Amino acid sequence: MKTILLTGGIGSGKTAVANMLESRGIPVYDSDSAAKRLYTPGLLSLLERRYGGSFSLGDGSPDFKAIASLVFSDTSALQFVESWLYPLLKADFMAWRDSRQGTTMVVFESAVALSKPLFDDLWNQVVVVEAPLETRIQRIMRRDSCTRGEALARIEAQSVPERYDSLIENVGSMELLERAVDAVFFRENC
Protein backbone atom coordinates (compact mmCIF):
# COMPACT_ATOMS: atom_id res chain seq x y z
CA MET A 1 0.00 0.00 0.00
CA LYS A 2 1.33 3.42 -0.95
CA THR A 3 1.50 5.95 1.90
CA ILE A 4 1.56 9.62 0.95
CA LEU A 5 2.35 12.53 3.25
CA LEU A 6 0.09 15.50 2.52
CA THR A 7 1.78 18.52 4.04
CA GLY A 8 2.19 22.26 3.80
CA GLY A 9 2.09 25.21 6.12
CA ILE A 10 -0.82 25.99 8.39
CA GLY A 11 -3.63 27.59 6.39
CA SER A 12 -2.37 26.33 3.02
CA GLY A 13 -5.46 24.25 2.23
CA LYS A 14 -4.39 20.75 3.25
CA THR A 15 -7.83 20.07 4.73
CA ALA A 16 -9.58 21.06 1.49
CA VAL A 17 -7.30 18.68 -0.42
CA ALA A 18 -7.85 15.93 2.16
CA ASN A 19 -11.63 16.35 1.86
CA MET A 20 -11.39 16.02 -1.93
CA LEU A 21 -9.36 12.83 -1.55
CA GLU A 22 -11.77 11.32 0.97
CA SER A 23 -14.72 12.11 -1.32
CA ARG A 24 -12.94 9.98 -3.93
CA GLY A 25 -12.48 7.06 -1.55
CA ILE A 26 -8.86 7.61 -0.46
CA PRO A 27 -8.44 7.15 3.31
CA VAL A 28 -6.91 10.23 4.97
CA TYR A 29 -5.42 10.23 8.47
CA ASP A 30 -5.95 13.68 10.00
CA SER A 31 -2.96 13.97 12.32
CA ASP A 32 -4.25 17.14 14.03
CA SER A 33 -7.52 15.47 15.07
CA ALA A 34 -5.69 12.31 16.07
CA ALA A 35 -3.19 14.27 18.17
CA LYS A 36 -6.01 16.05 20.01
CA ARG A 37 -7.60 12.68 20.73
CA LEU A 38 -4.31 11.42 22.19
CA TYR A 39 -3.98 14.12 24.86
CA THR A 40 -4.49 12.48 28.25
CA PRO A 41 -5.13 13.84 31.73
CA GLY A 42 -1.57 12.73 32.56
CA LEU A 43 -0.03 14.96 29.90
CA LEU A 44 -2.23 17.87 30.96
CA SER A 45 -1.07 17.43 34.57
CA LEU A 46 2.57 17.35 33.44
CA LEU A 47 2.05 20.58 31.50
CA GLU A 48 0.37 22.25 34.47
CA ARG A 49 3.15 21.22 36.88
CA ARG A 50 5.92 22.17 34.48
CA TYR A 51 4.55 25.46 33.09
CA GLY A 52 1.94 26.55 35.64
CA GLY A 53 -1.58 27.54 34.82
CA SER A 54 -4.38 25.31 33.64
CA PHE A 55 -4.49 23.35 30.40
CA SER A 56 -7.83 21.65 31.15
CA LEU A 57 -11.36 22.89 30.75
CA GLY A 58 -13.92 22.59 33.55
CA ASP A 59 -14.96 19.11 32.36
CA GLY A 60 -11.34 17.87 32.37
CA SER A 61 -10.94 17.93 28.59
CA PRO A 62 -7.88 19.63 27.07
CA ASP A 63 -7.95 23.42 26.69
CA PHE A 64 -6.40 23.50 23.22
CA LYS A 65 -6.42 27.28 23.04
CA ALA A 66 -4.25 27.46 26.20
CA ILE A 67 -2.00 24.67 24.92
CA ALA A 68 -1.57 26.41 21.54
CA SER A 69 -0.77 29.69 23.26
CA LEU A 70 1.95 27.94 25.28
CA VAL A 71 3.58 25.88 22.52
CA PHE A 72 3.52 28.63 19.90
CA SER A 73 5.26 31.02 22.30
CA ASP A 74 7.74 28.67 24.03
CA THR A 75 9.90 26.32 21.95
CA SER A 76 10.88 24.22 24.97
CA ALA A 77 7.17 23.61 25.70
CA LEU A 78 6.62 22.65 22.07
CA GLN A 79 9.54 20.21 22.20
CA PHE A 80 8.26 18.75 25.47
CA VAL A 81 4.76 18.15 24.08
CA GLU A 82 6.13 16.72 20.82
CA SER A 83 8.48 14.32 22.61
CA TRP A 84 5.51 12.86 24.46
CA LEU A 85 2.84 13.06 21.79
CA TYR A 86 4.60 12.13 18.53
CA PRO A 87 5.53 8.53 19.38
CA LEU A 88 1.87 7.96 20.30
CA LEU A 89 0.75 9.59 17.06
CA LYS A 90 3.07 7.42 14.96
CA ALA A 91 1.81 4.23 16.63
CA ASP A 92 -1.80 5.37 16.18
CA PHE A 93 -1.22 6.05 12.47
CA MET A 94 0.45 2.69 11.91
CA ALA A 95 -2.50 0.88 13.51
CA TRP A 96 -4.93 2.99 11.42
CA ARG A 97 -3.00 2.23 8.21
CA ASP A 98 -2.78 -1.48 9.00
CA SER A 99 -6.57 -1.56 9.40
CA ARG A 100 -6.98 -0.41 5.80
CA GLN A 101 -5.62 -3.52 4.09
CA GLY A 102 -6.84 -3.86 0.53
CA THR A 103 -6.54 -0.12 -0.08
CA THR A 104 -3.95 0.88 -2.66
CA MET A 105 -3.20 4.29 -1.12
CA VAL A 106 -3.54 6.09 2.23
CA VAL A 107 -2.70 9.70 3.07
CA PHE A 108 -1.16 11.08 6.26
CA GLU A 109 -2.14 14.76 6.57
CA SER A 110 0.22 16.85 8.71
CA ALA A 111 1.68 20.35 8.64
CA VAL A 112 4.80 19.36 10.57
CA ALA A 113 5.57 15.65 10.05
CA LEU A 114 8.10 16.26 7.28
CA SER A 115 10.35 18.12 9.72
CA LYS A 116 10.14 15.37 12.37
CA PRO A 117 12.64 12.53 11.75
CA LEU A 118 10.50 10.13 13.82
CA PHE A 119 8.02 9.96 10.92
CA ASP A 120 10.50 9.65 8.02
CA ASP A 121 9.97 5.93 7.46
CA LEU A 122 6.19 6.17 7.04
CA TRP A 123 5.64 7.39 3.47
CA ASN A 124 6.60 6.70 -0.11
CA GLN A 125 5.79 10.15 -1.45
CA VAL A 126 5.45 13.73 -0.18
CA VAL A 127 2.85 16.14 -1.59
CA VAL A 128 3.01 19.80 -0.49
CA VAL A 129 0.07 22.20 -0.61
CA GLU A 130 1.11 25.83 -0.92
CA ALA A 131 -0.86 29.10 -0.72
CA PRO A 132 0.05 32.81 -0.57
CA LEU A 133 1.00 34.12 2.88
CA GLU A 134 -1.87 36.62 3.17
CA THR A 135 -4.40 33.94 2.23
CA ARG A 136 -2.98 31.67 4.92
CA ILE A 137 -3.11 34.43 7.57
CA GLN A 138 -6.76 35.19 6.79
CA ARG A 139 -7.72 31.48 6.88
CA ILE A 140 -6.03 30.94 10.24
CA MET A 141 -7.59 34.06 11.77
CA ARG A 142 -11.05 33.00 10.58
CA ARG A 143 -10.69 29.34 11.53
CA ASP A 144 -9.04 29.80 14.93
CA SER A 145 -10.59 33.14 15.94
CA CYS A 146 -7.13 34.56 16.57
CA THR A 147 -5.32 37.80 15.88
CA ARG A 148 -3.07 38.47 12.91
CA GLY A 149 -0.05 38.31 15.24
CA GLU A 150 -1.12 34.93 16.59
CA ALA A 151 -1.65 33.63 13.05
CA LEU A 152 1.82 34.82 12.02
CA ALA A 153 3.36 33.21 15.12
CA ARG A 154 1.78 29.88 14.14
CA ILE A 155 3.06 30.18 10.59
CA GLU A 156 6.56 31.07 11.82
CA ALA A 157 6.58 28.16 14.30
CA GLN A 158 6.45 25.69 11.41
CA SER A 159 9.31 24.97 9.09
CA VAL A 160 8.66 25.26 5.37
CA PRO A 161 8.78 21.93 3.51
CA GLU A 162 11.90 21.91 1.36
CA ARG A 163 11.69 18.43 -0.07
CA TYR A 164 8.70 16.97 -1.82
CA ASP A 165 7.71 14.90 -4.81
CA SER A 166 4.69 16.94 -5.93
CA LEU A 167 3.38 20.46 -5.32
CA ILE A 168 -0.25 21.60 -5.30
CA GLU A 169 -0.56 25.37 -5.59
CA ASN A 170 -3.77 26.51 -3.89
CA VAL A 171 -4.06 29.95 -5.44
CA GLY A 172 -7.51 30.09 -7.01
CA SER A 173 -10.94 28.58 -6.97
CA MET A 174 -11.98 25.19 -5.61
CA GLU A 175 -12.29 24.05 -9.23
CA LEU A 176 -8.63 24.89 -9.90
CA LEU A 177 -7.63 23.15 -6.67
CA GLU A 178 -9.60 20.08 -7.68
CA ARG A 179 -7.80 19.95 -11.03
CA ALA A 180 -4.44 20.20 -9.27
CA VAL A 181 -5.42 17.38 -6.89
CA ASP A 182 -6.53 15.21 -9.82
CA ALA A 183 -3.23 15.84 -11.61
CA VAL A 184 -1.14 14.82 -8.61
CA PHE A 185 -3.15 12.00 -7.07
CA PHE A 186 -4.95 10.43 -10.00
CA ARG A 187 -2.61 10.93 -12.93
CA GLU A 188 0.80 10.73 -11.23
CA ASN A 189 -0.17 7.82 -8.97
CA CYS A 190 -2.02 5.64 -11.49
Side-chain angles (χ1 to χ4, degrees):
M1 161 185 339
K2 189 172 199 172
T3 303
I4 298 174
L5 170 64
L6 177 63
T7 192
I10 185 171
S12 63
K14 291 178 306 299
T15 301
V17 172
N19 290 340
M20 289 176 186
L21 295 172
E22 285 183 320
S23 74
R24 292 177 170 94
I26 297 175
V28 177
Y29 181 85
D30 177 352
S31 68
D32 284 345
S33 295
K36 287 178 179 176
R37 182 175 39 80
L38 294 171
Y39 274 83
T40 63
L43 174 59
L44 298 175
S45 291
L46 285 172
L47 285 173
E48 289 167 357
R49 283 196 306 271
R50 187 170 180 149
Y51 297 100
S54 176
F55 296 98
S56 302
L57 297 173
D59 64 358
S61 63
D63 181 348
F64 290 113
K65 190 164 185 157
I67 294 167
S69 179
L70 172 68
V71 300
F72 286 117
S73 66
D74 182 337
T75 56
S76 71
L78 177 63
Q79 291 169 346
F80 174 75
V81 169
E82 288 177 348
S83 71
W84 185 90
L85 190 60
Y86 284 174
L88 294 175
L89 188 65
K90 181 176 182 179
D92 188 67
F93 170 73
M94 292 170 66
W96 176 88
R97 181 183 61 190
D98 291 347
S99 73
R100 271 129 186 100
Q101 292 305 314
T103 302
T104 58
M105 178 190 324
V106 296
V107 174
F108 182 101
E109 178 196 356
S110 171
V112 299
L114 191 59
S115 65
K116 308 301 176 191
L118 174 69
F119 297 109
D120 282 350
D121 62 339
L122 293 180
W123 36 78
N124 312 95
Q125 185 176 349
V126 176
V127 176
V128 171
V129 180
E130 192 173 77
L133 178 62
E134 190 57 37
T135 301
R136 294 173 60 200
I137 291 168
Q138 294 304 314
R139 286 178 183 158
I140 296 164
M141 288 171 59
R142 196 172 36 251
R143 182 192 69 199
D144 297 346
S145 300
C146 65
T147 67
R148 182 178 185 82
E150 289 169 329
L152 278 168
R154 292 173 187 188
I155 289 170
E156 290 169 4
Q158 295 178 347
S159 59
V160 177
E162 293 178 13
R163 63 186 208 275
Y164 54 84
D165 301 295
S166 300
L167 177 68
I168 295 174
E169 293 187 75
N170 185 7
V171 294
S173 67
M174 290 303 278
E175 184 179 307
L176 288 173
L177 181 60
E178 197 161 330
R179 281 191 222 147
V181 168
D182 286 346
V184 168
F185 283 90
F186 299 101
R187 292 191 197 117
E188 290 182 12
N189 290 297
C190 295

